[in-house]
Amino acid sequence: MSKRVAWVRLTAVAGLVLVTASAAAQQQPTGASGARPLDIPALNSIQKGKWAARNSEGNERTMCVRDVYQVLRPERVTTPCQHVVMESAASRATVRSVCSGHGTMLTRITVDTPRQVTVDTQGVIDGQPFSETYDAKRIGDCS
């Protein structure tokens, strides 16, 4: 995988992406019916703040996380995504996402502590297959 594609993936699906108010307003996570917000205990336990995420190639990025559910939507996807919770526990979750006109992905989140998580994601978005694992740690408050 090229470094450019790896960096795009790190930015897109690290699970802990820089969230702007407009992005959060465009996409509220919903269940398979699209009618109600998801409630995933593992995601709910993650602390908001400044995070550093390192992918499997060793590339690291810091970001301010204001919405932990953003992990379920690639950054470049602006259409709503339908999410199906395949597994949900206090410290782990598996969610399948279908993003209209963009593709599908499967995301597995493991919460070691509210300040340390692993995100494993794979799928096809905009015709590009991907598979990445990220280790992320909370490193402070957002400025």
Side-chain angles (χ1 to χ4, degrees), residues 78-103:
T78 57
T79 59
C81 298
Q82 299 279 322
H83 306 291
V84 176
V85 179
M86 314 276 294
E87 173 191 23
S88 182
S91 64
R92 67 182 179 280
T94 302
V95 179
R96 185 176 68 91
S97 301
V98 178
C99 302
S100 292
H102 292 280

mmCIF file of all heavy atoms in Angstrom, residues 78-103:
data_model
loop_
_atom_site.group_PDB
_atom_site.id
_atom_site.type_symbol
_atom_site.label_atom_id
_atom_site.label_comp_id
_atom_site.label_asym_id
_atom_site.label_seq_id
_atom_site.Cartn_x
_atom_site.Cartn_y
_atom_site.Cartn_z
ATOM 1 N N THR A 78 -19.797 11.652 2.740
ATOM 2 C CA THR A 78 -20.727 12.676 3.216
ATOM 3 C C THR A 78 -22.168 12.186 3.250
ATOM 4 O O THR A 78 -23.021 12.855 3.813
ATOM 5 C CB THR A 78 -20.635 13.937 2.330
ATOM 6 O OG1 THR A 78 -20.910 13.569 0.982
ATOM 7 C CG2 THR A 78 -19.258 14.566 2.429
ATOM 8 N N THR A 79 -22.440 11.046 2.639
ATOM 9 C CA THR A 79 -23.793 10.503 2.673
ATOM 10 C C THR A 79 -23.996 9.719 3.968
ATOM 11 O O THR A 79 -23.033 9.254 4.574
ATOM 12 C CB THR A 79 -24.044 9.570 1.470
ATOM 13 O OG1 THR A 79 -23.080 8.516 1.516
ATOM 14 C CG2 THR A 79 -23.936 10.316 0.155
ATOM 15 N N PRO A 80 -25.246 9.565 4.398
ATOM 16 C CA PRO A 80 -25.495 8.787 5.619
ATOM 17 C C PRO A 80 -25.064 7.336 5.454
ATOM 18 O O PRO A 80 -25.130 6.780 4.366
ATOM 19 C CB PRO A 80 -27.021 8.865 5.789
ATOM 20 C CG PRO A 80 -27.436 10.044 4.984
ATOM 21 C CD PRO A 80 -26.458 10.146 3.841
ATOM 22 N N CYS A 81 -24.599 6.764 6.537
ATOM 23 C CA CYS A 81 -24.228 5.349 6.566
ATOM 24 C C CYS A 81 -25.214 4.609 7.457
ATOM 25 O O CYS A 81 -25.648 5.132 8.476
ATOM 26 C CB CYS A 81 -22.810 5.162 7.119
ATOM 27 S SG CYS A 81 -21.514 5.932 6.138
ATOM 28 N N GLN A 82 -25.542 3.408 7.060
ATOM 29 C CA GLN A 82 -26.381 2.526 7.868
ATOM 30 C C GLN A 82 -25.440 1.611 8.647
ATOM 31 O O GLN A 82 -24.508 1.057 8.070
ATOM 32 C CB GLN A 82 -27.287 1.681 6.965
ATOM 33 C CG GLN A 82 -28.230 2.499 6.123
ATOM 34 C CD GLN A 82 -29.447 2.924 6.904
ATOM 35 O OE1 GLN A 82 -29.965 2.166 7.705
ATOM 36 N NE2 GLN A 82 -29.910 4.121 6.666
ATOM 37 N N HIS A 83 -25.680 1.456 9.945
ATOM 38 C CA HIS A 83 -24.803 0.656 10.789
ATOM 39 C C HIS A 83 -25.571 -0.503 11.400
ATOM 40 O O HIS A 83 -26.692 -0.334 11.875
ATOM 41 C CB HIS A 83 -24.221 1.508 11.921
ATOM 42 C CG HIS A 83 -23.528 2.742 11.424
ATOM 43 N ND1 HIS A 83 -22.351 2.701 10.725
ATOM 44 C CD2 HIS A 83 -23.873 4.043 11.517
ATOM 45 C CE1 HIS A 83 -21.992 3.936 10.419
ATOM 46 N NE2 HIS A 83 -22.893 4.768 10.882
ATOM 47 N N VAL A 84 -24.946 -1.668 11.380
ATOM 48 C CA VAL A 84 -25.507 -2.849 12.027
ATOM 49 C C VAL A 84 -24.488 -3.308 13.062
ATOM 50 O O VAL A 84 -23.337 -3.607 12.726
ATOM 51 C CB VAL A 84 -25.778 -3.981 11.008
ATOM 52 C CG1 VAL A 84 -26.273 -5.227 11.728
ATOM 53 C CG2 VAL A 84 -26.759 -3.518 9.952
ATOM 54 N N VAL A 85 -24.914 -3.345 14.319
ATOM 55 C CA VAL A 85 -24.040 -3.787 15.400
ATOM 56 C C VAL A 85 -24.020 -5.302 15.395
ATOM 57 O O VAL A 85 -25.043 -5.943 15.609
ATOM 58 C CB VAL A 85 -24.508 -3.233 16.761
ATOM 59 C CG1 VAL A 85 -23.598 -3.726 17.877
ATOM 60 C CG2 VAL A 85 -24.550 -1.714 16.733
ATOM 61 N N MET A 86 -22.848 -5.865 15.136
ATOM 62 C CA MET A 86 -22.703 -7.318 15.074
ATOM 63 C C MET A 86 -22.336 -7.889 16.443
ATOM 64 O O MET A 86 -22.701 -9.001 16.766
ATOM 65 C CB MET A 86 -21.617 -7.703 14.069
ATOM 66 C CG MET A 86 -21.691 -6.973 12.747
ATOM 67 S SD MET A 86 -22.815 -7.660 11.554
ATOM 68 C CE MET A 86 -22.096 -9.199 11.173
ATOM 69 N N GLU A 87 -21.563 -7.097 17.216
ATOM 70 C CA GLU A 87 -21.136 -7.500 18.560
ATOM 71 C C GLU A 87 -21.042 -6.234 19.395
ATOM 72 O O GLU A 87 -20.562 -5.207 18.935
ATOM 73 C CB GLU A 87 -19.764 -8.176 18.511
ATOM 74 C CG GLU A 87 -19.196 -8.465 19.890
ATOM 75 C CD GLU A 87 -17.734 -8.887 19.850
ATOM 76 O OE1 GLU A 87 -17.021 -8.568 18.891
ATOM 77 O OE2 GLU A 87 -17.310 -9.531 20.812
ATOM 78 N N SER A 88 -21.517 -6.319 20.625
ATOM 79 C CA SER A 88 -21.420 -5.166 21.512
ATOM 80 C C SER A 88 -21.221 -5.658 22.942
ATOM 81 O O SER A 88 -22.013 -6.426 23.463
ATOM 82 C CB SER A 88 -22.692 -4.316 21.430
ATOM 83 O OG SER A 88 -22.567 -3.188 22.257
ATOM 84 N N ALA A 89 -20.120 -5.211 23.531
ATOM 85 C CA ALA A 89 -19.804 -5.539 24.917
ATOM 86 C C ALA A 89 -19.182 -4.294 25.544
ATOM 87 O O ALA A 89 -18.950 -3.297 24.871
ATOM 88 C CB ALA A 89 -18.848 -6.729 24.977
ATOM 89 N N ALA A 90 -18.881 -4.372 26.817
ATOM 90 C CA ALA A 90 -18.330 -3.217 27.523
ATOM 91 C C ALA A 90 -16.987 -2.773 26.957
ATOM 92 O O ALA A 90 -16.684 -1.586 26.937
ATOM 93 C CB ALA A 90 -18.196 -3.524 29.006
ATOM 94 N N SER A 91 -16.183 -3.718 26.464
ATOM 95 C CA SER A 91 -14.841 -3.349 26.010
ATOM 96 C C SER A 91 -14.567 -3.652 24.536
ATOM 97 O O SER A 91 -13.448 -3.485 24.070
ATOM 98 C CB SER A 91 -13.792 -4.052 26.869
ATOM 99 O OG SER A 91 -13.882 -5.452 26.683
ATOM 100 N N ARG A 92 -15.576 -4.079 23.796
ATOM 101 C CA ARG A 92 -15.356 -4.347 22.374
ATOM 102 C C ARG A 92 -16.679 -4.253 21.612
ATOM 103 O O ARG A 92 -17.756 -4.452 22.172
ATOM 104 C CB ARG A 92 -14.695 -5.688 22.146
ATOM 105 C CG ARG A 92 -15.543 -6.865 22.514
ATOM 106 C CD ARG A 92 -14.795 -8.192 22.298
ATOM 107 N NE ARG A 92 -15.616 -9.294 22.686
ATOM 108 C CZ ARG A 92 -15.811 -9.702 23.928
ATOM 109 N NH1 ARG A 92 -15.231 -9.073 24.921
ATOM 110 N NH2 ARG A 92 -16.584 -10.735 24.203
ATOM 111 N N ALA A 93 -16.525 -3.961 20.323
ATOM 112 C CA ALA A 93 -17.701 -3.884 19.447
ATOM 113 C C ALA A 93 -17.272 -4.183 18.028
ATOM 114 O O ALA A 93 -16.128 -3.926 17.637
ATOM 115 C CB ALA A 93 -18.332 -2.503 19.526
ATOM 116 N N THR A 94 -18.211 -4.733 17.258
ATOM 117 C CA THR A 94 -18.018 -4.955 15.837
ATOM 118 C C THR A 94 -19.238 -4.380 15.136
ATOM 119 O O THR A 94 -20.372 -4.713 15.491
ATOM 120 C CB THR A 94 -17.877 -6.454 15.498
ATOM 121 O OG1 THR A 94 -16.780 -6.985 16.235
ATOM 122 C CG2 THR A 94 -17.660 -6.683 14.015
ATOM 123 N N VAL A 95 -18.987 -3.495 14.167
ATOM 124 C CA VAL A 95 -20.077 -2.819 13.472
ATOM 125 C C VAL A 95 -19.833 -2.898 11.972
ATOM 126 O O VAL A 95 -18.741 -2.609 11.496
ATOM 127 C CB VAL A 95 -20.173 -1.331 13.907
ATOM 128 C CG1 VAL A 95 -21.297 -0.622 13.154
ATOM 129 C CG2 VAL A 95 -20.385 -1.228 15.410
ATOM 130 N N ARG A 96 -20.864 -3.291 11.250
ATOM 131 C CA ARG A 96 -20.822 -3.294 9.783
ATOM 132 C C ARG A 96 -21.510 -2.026 9.310
ATOM 133 O O ARG A 96 -22.623 -1.717 9.747
ATOM 134 C CB ARG A 96 -21.527 -4.522 9.215
ATOM 135 C CG ARG A 96 -21.394 -4.636 7.693
ATOM 136 C CD ARG A 96 -22.017 -5.912 7.179
ATOM 137 N NE ARG A 96 -23.455 -5.918 7.326
ATOM 138 C CZ ARG A 96 -24.303 -5.488 6.406
ATOM 139 N NH1 ARG A 96 -23.875 -5.008 5.263
ATOM 140 N NH2 ARG A 96 -25.602 -5.540 6.606
ATOM 141 N N SER A 97 -20.846 -1.290 8.423
ATOM 142 C CA SER A 97 -21.400 -0.025 7.924
ATOM 143 C C SER A 97 -21.551 -0.088 6.417
ATOM 144 O O SER A 97 -20.662 -0.559 5.709
ATOM 145 C CB SER A 97 -20.465 1.135 8.283
ATOM 146 O OG SER A 97 -20.288 1.208 9.678
ATOM 147 N N VAL A 98 -22.694 0.399 5.935
ATOM 148 C CA VAL A 98 -22.954 0.527 4.512
ATOM 149 C C VAL A 98 -23.193 2.009 4.257
ATOM 150 O O VAL A 98 -24.133 2.591 4.797
ATOM 151 C CB VAL A 98 -24.181 -0.305 4.078
ATOM 152 C CG1 VAL A 98 -24.465 -0.106 2.594
ATOM 153 C CG2 VAL A 98 -23.982 -1.779 4.398
ATOM 154 N N CYS A 99 -22.318 2.611 3.463
ATOM 155 C CA CYS A 99 -22.391 4.041 3.173
ATOM 156 C C CYS A 99 -22.880 4.213 1.741
ATOM 157 O O CYS A 99 -22.155 3.883 0.792
ATOM 158 C CB CYS A 99 -21.029 4.693 3.377
ATOM 159 S SG CYS A 99 -20.382 4.464 5.049
ATOM 160 N N SER A 100 -24.104 4.705 1.569
ATOM 161 C CA SER A 100 -24.745 4.830 0.255
ATOM 162 C C SER A 100 -23.828 5.457 -0.777
ATOM 163 O O SER A 100 -23.288 6.535 -0.567
ATOM 164 C CB SER A 100 -26.013 5.682 0.363
ATOM 165 O OG SER A 100 -26.986 5.012 1.086
ATOM 166 N N GLY A 101 -23.652 4.746 -1.881
ATOM 167 C CA GLY A 101 -22.857 5.247 -2.978
ATOM 168 C C GLY A 101 -21.353 5.204 -2.761
ATOM 169 O O GLY A 101 -20.586 5.605 -3.631
ATOM 170 N N HIS A 102 -20.912 4.728 -1.594
ATOM 171 C CA HIS A 102 -19.481 4.707 -1.301
ATOM 172 C C HIS A 102 -18.947 3.309 -1.042
ATOM 173 O O HIS A 102 -17.824 3.002 -1.415
ATOM 174 C CB HIS A 102 -19.152 5.600 -0.100
ATOM 175 C CG HIS A 102 -19.344 7.045 -0.395
ATOM 176 N ND1 HIS A 102 -18.417 7.797 -1.071
ATOM 177 C CD2 HIS A 102 -20.376 7.875 -0.114
ATOM 178 C CE1 HIS A 102 -18.859 9.038 -1.188
ATOM 179 N NE2 HIS A 102 -20.045 9.106 -0.620
ATOM 180 N N GLY A 103 -19.705 2.463 -0.363
ATOM 181 C CA GLY A 103 -19.235 1.109 -0.101
ATOM 182 C C GLY A 103 -19.556 0.637 1.300
ATOM 183 O O GLY A 103 -20.443 1.177 1.978
#
